[in-house]
């Protein structure tokens, strides 16, 4: 316990970075997920193919490999970003593929009659999606989206591999000084568990308030 209390500032900074990385990547992944889910159900075959390719590529590549490639390969061709920004971009792009499939599943729960009714009153595909289908589809998959956000939180720990000093890297740095891995990493694990419980509680609350009873 002394190893934790003696380095609370260091661990707290890592925890804040983890929370910031989780929030930024969740917002980015949600926006990407909505765009890709829209492509997946678009009436144009080329757009559907682009959406499918995005999902297939990023669901079949390891996140760690993408992080290493982005951080260490792009600078060789003159493209550089701060480490935090690099990690946020890669994690958002990666998790966007999973969120897109969850959102598409929600869209598929919306009755065909809803889309037909929207077209009957003169709405375009985009207007139908924005005003009728997407709001209902998102409300149908709040809990699955929450589960993906929890997985995203855990995946932020991989940012340590490319030098981002988030909670896992901060715990590792403390352990290198104190040599008490059980206490240090148990504390870090409990912090991750607390954050996951908060996400679960928030999404559970949103689901109870916004879920559509069919």
């Amino acid at each position: 316990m002394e190893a934790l209390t003696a380095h609370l500032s260091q661990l707290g900074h890592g925890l804040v970075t983890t929370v910031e990385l989780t929030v930024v990547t969740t917002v980015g992944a949600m926006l990407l997920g909505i765009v890709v889910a829209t492509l997946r159900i678009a009436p144009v075959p080329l757009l559907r193919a682009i959406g499918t390719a995005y999902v297939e590529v990023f669901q079949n590549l390891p996140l760690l490999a993408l992080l290493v490639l982005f951080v260490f390969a792009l600078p060789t061709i003159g493209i550089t970003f701060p480490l935090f920004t690099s990690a946020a971009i890669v994690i958002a792009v990666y998790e966007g593929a999973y969120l897109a499939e969850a959102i598409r599943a929600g869209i598929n729960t919306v009755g065909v009659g809803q889309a037909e009714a929207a077209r009957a009153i003169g709405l375009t595909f985009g207007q139908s999606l924005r005003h009728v289908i997407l709001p209902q589809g998102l409300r149908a998959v709040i809990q699955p989206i929450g589960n993906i956000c929890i997985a995203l939180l855990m995946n932020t720990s991989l940012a340590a591999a490319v030098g981002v000093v988030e909670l896992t890297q901060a715990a590792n740095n403390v352990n290198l000084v104190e040599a008490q891995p059980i206490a240090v990493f148990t504390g870090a694990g409990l912090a991750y568990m607390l954050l996951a419980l908060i996400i679960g509680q928030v999404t559970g609350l949103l689901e109870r308030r916004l879920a559509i009873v069919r």
Side-chain angles (χ1 to χ4, degrees):
M1 184 60 75
E2 290 182 3
L4 294 176
T5 55
H7 298 275
L8 272 181
S9 174
Q10 193 173 350
L11 292 169
H13 180 75
L15 179 61
V16 170
T17 302
T18 289
V19 172
E20 290 175 344
L21 193 56
T22 301
V23 171
V24 170
T25 52
T26 297
V27 172
M30 274 298 296
L31 294 175
L32 272 172
I34 291 172
V35 172
V36 175
T38 302
L39 292 176
R40 293 273 276 157
I41 63 166
V44 180
L46 177 60
L47 296 179
R48 289 201 301 274
I50 292 172
T52 301
Y54 181 94
V55 171
E56 292 296 328
V57 167
F58 288 105
Q59 283 194 341
N60 290 287
L61 286 175
L63 176 57
L64 182 58
L66 290 172
L67 278 167
V68 171
L69 187 66
F70 194 92
V71 172
F72 297 109
L74 288 186
T76 62
I77 58 173
I79 301 174
T80 58
F81 295 98
L83 284 176
F84 182 93
T85 304
S86 297
I89 291 172
V90 174
I91 295 172
V93 169
Y94 179 83
E95 296 292 344
Y98 291 90
L99 281 170
E101 286 301 90
I103 294 167
R104 187 169 71 96
I107 290 173
N108 287 338
T109 66
V110 180
V112 176
Q114 299 267 347
E116 292 175 344
R119 283 197 296 270
I121 61 174
L123 296 182
T124 64
F125 172 76
Q127 290 171 330
S128 301
L129 193 69
R130 188 166 64 254
H131 298 297
V132 179
I133 299 172
L134 200 52
Q136 296 184 65
L138 287 173
R139 291 168 67 180
V141 290
I142 292 173
Q143 195 58 55
I145 288 175
N147 293 337
I148 294 173
C149 290
I150 290 173
L152 182 153
L153 163 68
M154 302 306 171
N155 281 337
T156 60
S157 64
L158 293 176
V162 293
V164 178
V165 187
E166 42 67 68
L167 182 57
T168 298
Q169 184 60 50
N172 190 47
N173 292 343
V174 171
N175 182 55
L176 290 175
V177 175
E178 300 290 344
Q180 294 187 36
I182 294 177
V184 172
F185 286 106
T186 298
L190 290 173
Y192 277 112
M193 187 175 72
L194 178 61
L195 292 175
L197 286 173
I198 291 172
I199 294 173
Q201 289 295 315
V202 170
T203 52
L205 178 64
L206 289 174
E207 185 179 41
R208 287 192 293 276
R209 293 200 171 196
L210 301 176
I212 299 173
V213 179
R214 300 182 188 281

